[in-house]
Amino acid sequence: MAIDYKKTAEEIIKIVKRENIISAECCATRLRLIVKDRESIKDSDVQKIDGVKGVFFNSDQYQIILGTGVVNKVYDEVVKLGITASSQKNDDKDIKKSDDKNKFRKFIRIFADVFVPIMPAMIATGLFLGLKGALINDSFLGLFNLQVSNIPISVMTFMSVLTETTFAFLPALVCWSAFRVFGGSPILGILLGLMLVSPALPNAYLVANPDSGVKPIMLFGFIPIVGYQGSILPALIAGMIGSKLELKLRKIIPNIIDILATPFLTLLIMLFLSLAVIGPIFHTVEQWILIAINFSLSLPFGLGGFIIGFGIIFIVVTGVHHIMNLIEISLLASTALNPINPLLSVANLAAGAACLAVTLKTRRKSLKAMGYGAALSAWLGITEPAIFGINIRYGIKPMVCGAIASGITGLIVRLLNLQGTANGVTGIPGILLYIYDTKQLIGYISVSILTIILSFAITWFFGVPKEYMQEDDE
């Protein structure tokens, strides 16, 4: 019998009591109600409601398990019935109580709250990118006596839209989610994020390509201004500060001009800060990363492979990993081979394997719901869903275990002198970059399998924190 979502929502509100509910939100499987008095709620009555599979209480959140698909529909009805949708300002008390003694845990919680809502878009893009890398590739097409140039422009355009849109406008998604989490106006977050990737700004990827001729705009003659295509941390910081600024302005600006002055000042101030302060800081970080990677590649005994293999996943977290394009393109231009690609590949494969280990071992249905897709996405070259959705959700142990595995196999990569013939394709589709030589192909496949096994084993035995082992219906 089909569930009456509106009736379920009404019964939940009636039993929990409307005046007891501060706000509501939902995750993959649970309706989460922030309540004033947990003791006044009768769990047995809630569990009798049609569609409810269990309840539990954690960190001031009364969590009702409804299952994937159902929870979103019930949540929509709850909001329609007048319950406030949750934001960070509603949750500050909850976070403060549980996380004040552990600031790092609070930081990780913020990452999870911001990135979980945009995971579906990133996972889908990872799948599209993997398909494109596997099919639209000269090495693969050569088996059929074809080249990429033989593919119709309409097909290439269609594939480009599918694979490039999410990451081209990623700052807009991140800013939107950050404004939502921290209590600002999500529409201002979207607009600020779009400004960070405005076509009026030099494209970050083109700036990273020495052959493009595109240079940063120099503000005041010494501050480099570029776009933030594919960046994460700058957009996150801009979203966090921007939402707090908006809330502050709404308190001090008279109501009669609030609707005009607050959005105007928020966007004006935040765009300047983002381009003139946050951006240049990360530009400097990029330059140091460039120097460090070039130095690492020159180290003997494959040590550079270990350093890069271990460290690249942490660079991804900072959002400045597009600097790798500069190194890869420079190497391809001078030698026609790319020794960075296999190191990026083992890092992606390790992140996916760590994600899979957590997904299989966790008792949290909410993590299992997204874990398999996130792992596959990482193996196809897009690691953000695995990193932010699973591997650092309740601590960084899974990410560190994956990094250790990719560091070990990265060392092997350098000892075997594995080198791809292009850039931009990693993980499973990256196999196509090594079919030019039998030894290279066998080496890449062997190292890839070893990476997955090693990362999975290390994470399974040592990298799953106790928080992952708590059942959603406890």
Side-chain angles (χ1 to χ4, degrees):
M1 184 176 176
I3 297 174
D4 185 333
Y5 304 115
K6 183 177 181 180
K7 183 179 179 181
T8 296
E10 289 173 342
E11 291 182 1
I12 289 173
I13 294 174
K14 179 180 178 181
I15 294 172
V16 178
K17 296 183 180 61
R18 180 181 295 273
E19 63 274 13
N20 190 33
I21 302 174
I22 298 174
S23 63
E25 64 179 15
C26 72
C27 62
T29 60
R30 291 163 289 152
L31 175 67
R32 299 193 289 181
L33 304 176
I34 298 179
V35 297
K36 299 175 184 176
D37 181 12
R38 186 265 180 274
E39 300 303 322
S40 67
I41 306 171
K42 281 190 175 183
D43 292 350
S44 58
D45 290 345
V46 177
Q47 289 174 330
K48 292 177 183 177
I49 298 173
D50 188 24
V52 173
K53 299 177 180 178
V55 300
F56 70 101
F57 186 80
N58 184 35
S59 299
D60 287 355
Q61 291 184 342
Y62 190 75
Q63 307 196 24
I64 303 172
I65 302 169
L66 295 163
T68 56
V70 176
V71 66
N72 302 88
K73 296 179 176 66
V74 173
Y75 170 74
D76 289 341
E77 295 296 335
V78 167
V79 173
K80 288 178 183 178
L81 290 169
I83 300 300
T84 304
S86 180
S87 66
Q88 187 69 24
K89 62 185 178 182
N90 292 324
D91 292 343
D92 276 344
K93 244 184 234 182
D94 161 37
I95 294 174
K96 194 168 185 180
K97 286 182 182 178
S98 59
D99 291 337
D100 266 354
K101 294 182 180 179
N102 192 330
K103 297 299 181 182
F104 181 73
R105 246 173 149 42
K106 183 176 181 179
F107 181 72
I108 294 300
R109 164 71 184 267
I110 291 171
F111 262 99
D113 287 345
V114 171
F115 285 98
V116 166
I118 64 178
M119 287 301 111
M122 299 172 75
I123 291 173
T125 298
L127 297 177
F128 289 139
L129 191 60
L131 180 63
K132 179 181 178 181
L135 299 179
I136 304 180
N137 181 284
D138 275 330
S139 300
F140 174 77
L141 294 173
L143 300 175
F144 306 94
N145 294 320
L146 296 173
Q147 295 180 335
V148 172
S149 58
N150 299 129
I151 299 175
I153 294 177
S154 58
V155 174
M156 293 298 293
T157 301
F158 182 76
M159 292 300 294
S160 294
V161 171
L162 284 174
T163 58
E164 296 172 10
T165 301
T166 295
F167 283 89
F169 297 99
L170 185 58
L173 300 180
V174 173
C175 275
W176 160 77
S177 191
F179 265 71
R180 177 190 60 83
V181 167
F182 287 94
S185 301
I187 189 63
L188 293 183
I190 292 176
L191 186 53
L192 176 60
L194 289 174
M195 288 178 174
L196 297 181
V197 292
S198 168
L201 296 172
N203 185 284
Y205 294 112
L206 294 178
V207 170
N209 181 356
D211 296 328
S212 69
V214 178
K215 303 293 183 182
I217 297 172
M218 302 307 292
L219 181 65
F220 305 130
F222 67 95
I223 301 177
I225 303 296
V226 298
Y228 291 90
Q229 289 78 10
S231 294
I232 290 178
L233 201 53
L236 174 63
I237 294 172
M240 291 168 58
I241 297 175
S243 59
K244 297 298 183 183
L245 174 63
E246 181 195 353
L247 293 176
K248 185 69 174 178
L249 289 173
R250 291 200 184 280
K251 290 181 179 180
I252 61 177
I253 292 178
N255 291 337
I256 193 170
I257 61 171
D258 174 67
I259 193 171
L260 297 173
T262 299
F264 174 82
L265 291 174
T266 299
L267 292 173
L268 178 65
I269 294 171
M270 285 313 305
L271 183 62
F272 179 80
L273 286 178
S274 298
L275 296 180
V277 180
I278 299 172
I281 289 174
F282 281 91
H283 178 75
T284 302
V285 172
E286 288 175 349
Q287 298 307 308
W288 281 107
I289 291 174
L290 176 60
I291 293 171
I293 289 176
N294 279 322
F295 173 76
S296 298
L297 285 174
S298 66
L299 294 176
F301 310 115
L303 292 177
F306 178 84
I307 294 172
I308 297 174
F310 178 84
I312 189 61
I313 215 70
F314 298 97
I315 296 176
V316 171
V317 171
T318 69
V320 299
H321 52 290
H322 61 261
I323 190 63
M324 303 302 291
N325 290 336
L326 172 61
I327 303 170
E328 293 183 277
I329 293 171
S330 298
L331 291 169
L332 286 167
S334 59
T335 67
L337 293 172
N338 180 4
I340 294 293
N341 178 267
L343 298 175
L344 297 177
S345 287
V346 296
N348 291 351
L349 293 169
C355 175
L356 181 62
V358 172
T359 301
L360 290 174
K361 196 169 186 178
T362 185
R363 295 177 180 175
R364 293 181 179 268
K365 295 178 181 178
S366 56
L367 293 185
K368 287 183 180 292
M370 74 161 57
Y372 297 109
L376 179 58
S377 177
W379 289 345
L380 295 176
I382 303 298
T383 55
E384 283 83 356
I387 294 172
F388 298 112
I390 303 293
N391 291 356
I392 65 172
R393 186 73 174 272
Y394 296 104
I396 65 169
K397 278 187 178 181
M399 187 170 74
V400 171
C401 288
I404 292 172
S406 61
I408 294 172
T409 53
L411 186 148
I412 298 173
V413 161
R414 293 301 294 153
L415 291 178
L416 294 176
N417 195 31
L418 296 182
Q419 302 182 83
T421 56
N423 70 309
V425 182
T426 57
I428 295 174
I431 292 174
L432 299 172
L433 305 185
Y434 299 85
I435 63 176
Y436 71 95
D437 181 88
T438 302
K439 290 183 179 179
Q440 288 281 322
L441 180 61
I442 294 174
Y444 183 84
I445 293 174
S446 299
V447 169
S448 297
I449 294 173
L450 176 61
T451 299
I452 291 173
I453 294 173
L454 189 59
S455 178
F456 183 93
I458 294 175
T459 306
W460 181 273
F461 290 110
F462 306 106
V464 182
K466 62 181 181 180
E467 290 86 353
Y468 290 86
M469 302 309 296
Q470 297 173 1
E471 295 184 7
D472 283 338
D473 57 353
E474 286 180 345

